[in-house]
Structure formats: C-alpha cells, structure tokens
Amino acid sequence: MKEVILCKYGEVILKGANRSEFEAKMLKELRRRAKRIGNFKIHYAQSTVFCEPLDEDSAEAIDEMTEQAKHVFGFVGVTRAIACEKNMDTILEMVKKYIPERLKGYKSFKATAKRADKRFPLGSPEIAGEVGAAILEATGGKIKVDLHNPEIIVQVEIRESLAYIHAGQEKGAGGIPSGSSGKGLLLLSGGIDSPVAGFMMAKRGVLIEAIHFESYPYTSERAREKVLELAKVLTDYTMRMRVHIISLTKIQELIRDNCDEDYFTLLLRRYMMAISVKLAHELDCDAIITGESLGQVASQTMKAINVTNAMSDIPVYRPLIGMDKEEIIQISRKIGAYDTSILPYEDCCTVFTPRHPRTRPELEKVIEEESKLDFNALVEEAYATKYAVVVKHFGDNIIEGEGKDE
Ligand code: ATP
Ligand code: MG
C-alpha cells in the first residue's frame, strides 16, 4: 500500500487572483525540504498539495517528510493517506487493510467522509457509516465509535480522480507562505520573547533576518551559542536564517562611565534601535521586529517604548505587545524554543542594569544623557563589528563569507 502525504491549505484558499503565487511558494518550501529527505513528486490539486514518494527509501521516510510538511507555513492540516479507486467496494477493502494499523493505541474513533466529487453515488453520511462499520469489523471490537469525542478521526475523501483514506490528520503550521509578506529584521536576544516574536511574524509570511547584540566579555560565548541555537529552532519553520552579530561592549562601557545610571537601559536600547535601523535599510527590510510586551519590564512601558521607537524611521512590529508571559511561554514551548530560552546566560541588556530604571522617561532627558557621547560615531563603530552567521535547518552553521553555503 503506497502512502502519500496530503497537505491542506489554510487561508490561502481565500486568496483571489494571486492565489497561484501563494501556492507556488508553498510548493517551493515543500520541495526544498523533500529534496533533503528523498525522492518525492509534489503537485497540487483542489486546495491540497500531494507529496508522493517515488521509491522505497522515500516511502520509508514518510514520517520524516510528514514532520517537515507540518512546518511549512500555509498548510493547516497534514496527513498520511492511501489512494484508491472511487468505488465503495474498493474503498471498504482498503479501509480494512490500511486503517486498523493506524488506529493502534486508540480507544475510540469516528469515521467521516468528504465528497468533493458530487457525482459520487453515496452521500457523505452513508459513506461514513459504511466505513465505520468496516473498521469495527476489521478491528474486532478493539476500538469503539465515539461520534462526539473521538480520540482519532478516520476520513475518506472522494476527490476528482481518486479516493483518499486517512486517519489522524495533524495540525499544520498555519499562517501564510514564507516570503509572501516581505522581509523583517528581528532583534533576537537569548530570552523567551524574541524567538516567539520571530516565529509569529514568519508565520505571517515574513522572511526573517536576525540581529543579535552582545557585549563580550560581559556576555559569554555560551550566550552567543544559545542565540544561534534559538535561531536554529526557528529554522524548523524558516529553513535558514542569517544572524547578524554586533558588539556593544564599547558603547556599554562608555554609557556606564559617562551617563546617569537610571538611563542606562534606555540609552542602550536606543543604540540597539539605531544600529538595527541601519542594518534594516542595508538589508532592504520593511520592518523591525521585537519581542516587547507592554509593561513586562521597565523599558517596555508605553513611554519607554516611545523613547526607543523614536529612533526608527521604519515600522517596528511587536507581535507580543498585548500578550501575557504565560501565553508567550505556551508558544515558546510549542515551537521548541523554551528549554533553550531558559538556559541562564547573560544578555547585554542585563549587564550594568540600573537599580532604578526610568519607567516614565522624558525624551528630552534621554537625549540630554545621550549627548554626553558621540552617538553617531559610536553607532558606526559598533556597526563595523558586524558579522553574520548563517543558520540552516539542514546542515551546520557557517560564518558568512567563510566556507561553502549550499
Ligand atoms: P526577550 O525574552 O526576547 O529577551 P525581554 O523580555 O528579556 O525579551 P528586553 O531584554 O527588554 O526584554 O528586550 C526587549 C526586546 O529587545 C527583545 O524581545 C528583543 O527583541 C530585543 N533585544 C533585547 N536584547 C537583545 C539583544 N541582546 N540582541 C538583540 N535584540 C535584543
Ligand atoms: Mg532579553
């Protein structure tokens, strides 16, 4: 029995004239992944992408390919299925052969049917009824029908040329395809919030570049590794990501030695923003993305955010702005970032922290403190420390410009 993977569209279905552009992007993403796993034929029809293994080895890698498909934005459901001729006898025969194995470990199921081909002689409820009965017969009472709260759903889809049978469709990544919303520069720290912010914007089709600020030796090499590890987690979804690393050591030391302590964090954040804006322009990014959430810390009150926001002449997206920490943690866990995020390494924001940070800063006072240093020259100097690490889903990290990047 040869299985295929069905990947079901989400809101791409609602797209009008440019739907084919979105479809092409989803196909491309899936093909990039499939290429690394085996030999698959990938095509689409009726709001579904079909991913078909073309040889034995690829058929054996179907679990791995299904896992990959679940990380491609634009699909809301992913499932393994078998295809058969569209007549009820064949369908029931295949259900009996294929489904019992798929139901192992479950106690209850429900059979459903979807009829895209309206000429099919039976209606959906009749098909579901017959399929349910066939399963009960084939499993000899090991599993029960539960129409209201089944542990697993078996579905038969009557499509244009064939019928598809599957059980246990899984959730896809949702969102809209990668690259359909432009490019954004994510301020990536080693914390919980910024990887989640990056994920949320990537899910809305934004291509992500990342910038990370460090303050070596006040921040450690392990802290940098941790950030690259978080970027790696995001590449489960984005396939690759460049992390531009910039040193703030000199700026931080000068702020510490010359400015009012209460303003340390705000000043630092304005430098971060100015440097990020510069990079965003260079990389042709349409927005900056941060993991700020209103009121979470002193530098994230409305007034404090305004002070940093004033440094940017492009939009700053803050997808977590209205979320509670618990809600953010939930997503962090879901995308597999949490365990890395909570590793205890210093971030440059946590070195030289003021004892009494300003929560209602006046911009004039911040600017006064800022004018004690040569802001523009320091931005240029820090910018010159920039180098990029290319983080890939398949394969090892490389420093841009060194080593081969396939
Ligand atoms: P996170 O959990 O993402 O570290 P946070 O709650 O600790 O966020 P802050 O340290 O105030 O909050 O940072 C707010 C945002 O600023 C972060 O979400 C991130 O987008 C950005 N940021 C903070 N530190 C850095 C850094 N070292 N490099 C790049 N961006 C940073
Ligand atoms: Mg942080």
Side-chain angles (χ1 to χ4, degrees):
M1 261 180 304
K2 190 172 148 188
E3 291 182 290
V4 296
I5 302 168
L6 308 185
C7 310
K8 314 278 183 76
Y9 292 9
E11 61 189 86
V12 169
I13 291 176
L14 307 173
K15 302 289 173 199
N18 49 5
R19 171 166 158 174
S20 60
E21 253 176 65
F22 285 82
E23 282 176 323
K25 289 195 166 74
M26 288 148 75
L27 242 63
K28 187 174 147 212
E29 279 296 302
L30 210 55
R31 288 202 173 111
R32 278 169 87 185
R33 289 164 190 264
K35 210 170 66 187
R36 298 297 191 131
I37 291 173
N39 194 7
F40 294 87
K41 179 179 160 200
I42 294 176
H43 60 101
Y44 64 91
Q46 296 178 303
S47 301
T48 298
V49 171
F50 296 78
C51 183
E52 211 177 302
L54 292 176
D55 54 36
E56 275 300 309
D57 287 349
S58 309
E60 272 173 29
I62 199 150
D63 271 337
E64 202 182 339
M65 191 58 221
T66 307
E67 214 35 56
Q68 289 295 325
K70 280 163 58 186
H71 289 84
V72 175
F73 291 124
F75 296 119
V76 287
V78 175
T79 184
R80 293 158 56 162
I82 50 161
C84 69
E85 242 177 71
K86 290 197 306 186
N87 75 65
M88 223 36 220
D89 288 342
T90 315
I91 291 171
L92 293 176
E93 188 189 325
M94 295 309 276
V95 162
K96 285 187 201 165
K97 269 198 206 153
Y98 178 64
I99 293 295
E101 180 68 26
R102 308 282 302 145
L103 297 188
K104 275 206 176 124
Y106 293 94
K107 293 195 193 67
S108 64
F109 78 99
K110 173 184 172 177
T112 63
K114 226 162 113 185
R115 219 170 44 125
D117 173 9
K118 300 296 178 205
R119 292 162 309 176
F120 194 75
L122 296 186
S124 300
E126 287 84 24
I127 303 171
E130 291 199 25
V131 167
I135 294 171
L136 286 176
E137 188 191 316
T139 50
K142 284 200 201 89
I143 182 166
K144 286 196 320 251
V145 173
D146 184 342
L147 297 181
H148 302 292
N149 205 10
E151 283 181 12
I152 185 166
I153 292 177
V154 177
Q155 189 169 60
V156 174
E157 300 183 29
I158 312 290
R159 289 178 170 257
E160 203 56 46
S161 52
L162 294 167
Y164 290 84
I165 301 163
H166 55 85
Q169 175 169 310
E170 294 182 85
K171 260 192 156 108
I176 57 175
S178 245
S180 38
S181 305
K183 195 156 62 162
L185 178 63
L186 169 69
L187 273 74
L188 183 63
S189 71
I192 295 171
D193 305 323
S194 47
V196 172
F199 167 77
M200 285 176 73
M201 297 321 300
K203 185 173 172 186
R204 296 312 300 169
V206 178
L207 293 174
I208 306 282
E209 296 265 0
I211 182 169
H212 174 66
F213 297 99
E214 62 177 14
S215 211
Y216 191 77
Y218 305 105
T219 60
S220 65
E221 227 153 288
R222 267 309 283 135
R224 183 191 312 151
E225 288 304 316
K226 174 186 176 185
V227 170
L228 295 175
E229 193 54 46
L230 288 170
K232 182 95 175 172
V233 168
L234 290 177
T235 65
D236 283 356
Y237 294 89
T238 64
M239 289 291 281
R240 60 189 276 136
M241 188 189 302
R242 261 194 310 180
V243 183
H244 304 265
I245 298 176
I246 286 189
S247 169
L248 289 183
T249 311
K250 182 166 178 194
I251 291 176
Q252 290 204 268
E253 287 175 340
L254 285 170
I255 293 177
R256 178 195 61 190
D257 297 341
N258 294 284
C259 304
D260 179 346
E261 181 187 322
D262 293 1
Y263 291 88
F264 281 3
T265 311
L266 282 169
L267 292 172
L268 182 68
R269 299 198 61 78
R270 276 167 67 85
Y271 275 99
M272 282 183 169
M273 190 56 95
I275 294 166
S276 302
V277 168
K278 190 171 160 66
L279 181 61
H281 285 300
E282 188 187 305
L283 297 174
D284 213 11
C285 292
D286 299 309
I288 281 174
I289 301 159
T290 78
E292 289 161 308
S293 157
L294 194 62
Q296 195 187 80
V297 288
S299 58
Q300 294 174 25
T301 62
M302 278 197 189
K303 281 218 172 358
I305 288 178
N306 289 347
V307 161
T308 34
N309 202 62
M311 273 289 154
S312 182
D313 60 1
I314 55 172
V316 180
Y317 291 174
R318 301 177 176 88
L320 315 185
I321 198 72
M323 289 170 72
D324 292 349
K325 198 75 189 187
E326 262 319 302
E327 296 169 304
I328 299 168
I329 288 175
Q330 230 175 28
I331 302 176
S332 171
R333 284 191 200 278
K334 192 185 83 183
I335 63 175
Y338 187 72
D339 291 341
T340 306
S341 283
I342 58 173
L343 294 174
Y345 301 110
E346 288 284 302
D347 181 64
C348 65
C349 283
T350 53
V351 297
F352 316 144
T353 44
R355 280 159 294 180
H356 309 291
R358 290 292 160 131
T359 54
R360 278 189 290 278
E362 296 304 331
L363 187 55
E364 298 83 69
K365 178 66 182 148
V366 177
I367 291 173
E368 194 187 313
E369 284 304 313
E370 199 166 81
S371 66
K372 293 177 177 168
L373 300 171
D374 187 344
F375 189 87
N376 291 333
L378 287 173
V379 165
E380 291 303 324
E381 213 178 305
Y383 201 73
T385 65
K386 172 168 68 71
Y387 69 98
V389 179
V390 182
V391 180
K392 294 181 283 187
H393 178 54
F394 295 104
D396 296 331
N397 294 350
I398 53 161
I399 295 182
E400 198 171 46
E402 298 173 14
K404 193 167 160 277
D405 181 16
E406 345 90 71

